[in-house]
Amino acid sequence: MFVPTPTENTAVTAPRTARHAWQRVLWLVAGWLALLLGVVGAFLPLLPTTPFVLLAAFCFSRGSARWEHWLIHHPRLGPMVRDWRATRAVPLRAKQLATVMMTFSCLWAWWVIPSVWRWAPAISCACVALWLWRLPTRR
């Protein structure tokens, strides 16, 4: 069995370090993409904001401690991440509001989207609503 000497050890671990750096870049790109979708979701009715911000926090936690810290301490986005991490529960009012908004968005999409794709938003929103209502409720 081959046992590397201390000078050979750096040559053996170098590819792992490069792969780790590559993974960090992917996590950062995924985090920024999720955060961008979350910000856009604040203005568009079919995109939810909170799940994308939580996904961004998850990605940043694996890609960069600095960006995770920034997101957690952000004045507008940080409270939802901190609250989720502390309780793993969603307020009842948030569940109700999200369900109503998704319903109105799906109805609006039904009239705007061509007939072949009309069911796509409804199916997506139904999956999100099912996931959301299965989470613990914080009153």
Side-chain angles (χ1 to χ4, degrees):
M1 183 168 156
F2 173 73
V3 178
T5 62
T7 56
E8 294 171 334
N9 191 20
T10 57
V12 171
T13 60
R16 280 191 223 148
T17 306
R19 186 173 60 207
H20 182 67
W22 179 250
Q23 288 174 347
R24 286 187 59 213
V25 168
L26 287 178
W27 282 116
L28 281 173
V29 169
W32 280 108
L33 181 62
L35 188 60
L36 176 66
L37 287 172
V39 170
V40 170
F43 302 102
L44 292 179
L46 283 174
L47 279 177
T49 300
T50 304
F52 285 116
V53 173
L54 295 176
L55 179 61
F58 175 78
C59 293
F60 287 155
S61 73
R62 276 138 181 83
S64 170
R66 183 179 127 208
W67 287 112
E68 179 189 21
H69 181 269
W70 171 82
L71 184 59
I72 290 171
H73 292 91
H74 189 275
R76 298 240 186 241
L77 304 174
M80 71 177 77
V81 176
R82 289 191 306 267
D83 188 41
W84 171 255
R85 287 184 174 179
T87 63
R88 293 281 196 241
V90 178
L92 179 61
R93 184 77 176 136
K95 288 181 178 185
Q96 293 169 339
L97 182 62
T99 303
V100 168
M101 292 303 294
M102 286 189 290
T103 302
F104 284 130
S105 297
C106 290
L107 291 173
W108 174 79
W110 178 263
W111 295 107
V112 176
I113 296 176
S115 63
V116 176
W117 297 102
R118 283 184 179 168
W119 288 102
I123 292 170
S124 299
C125 289
C127 291
V128 170
L130 180 66
W131 169 78
L132 182 65
W133 284 97
R134 292 187 68 177
L135 291 173
T137 301
R138 183 176 56 85
R139 299 194 183 269

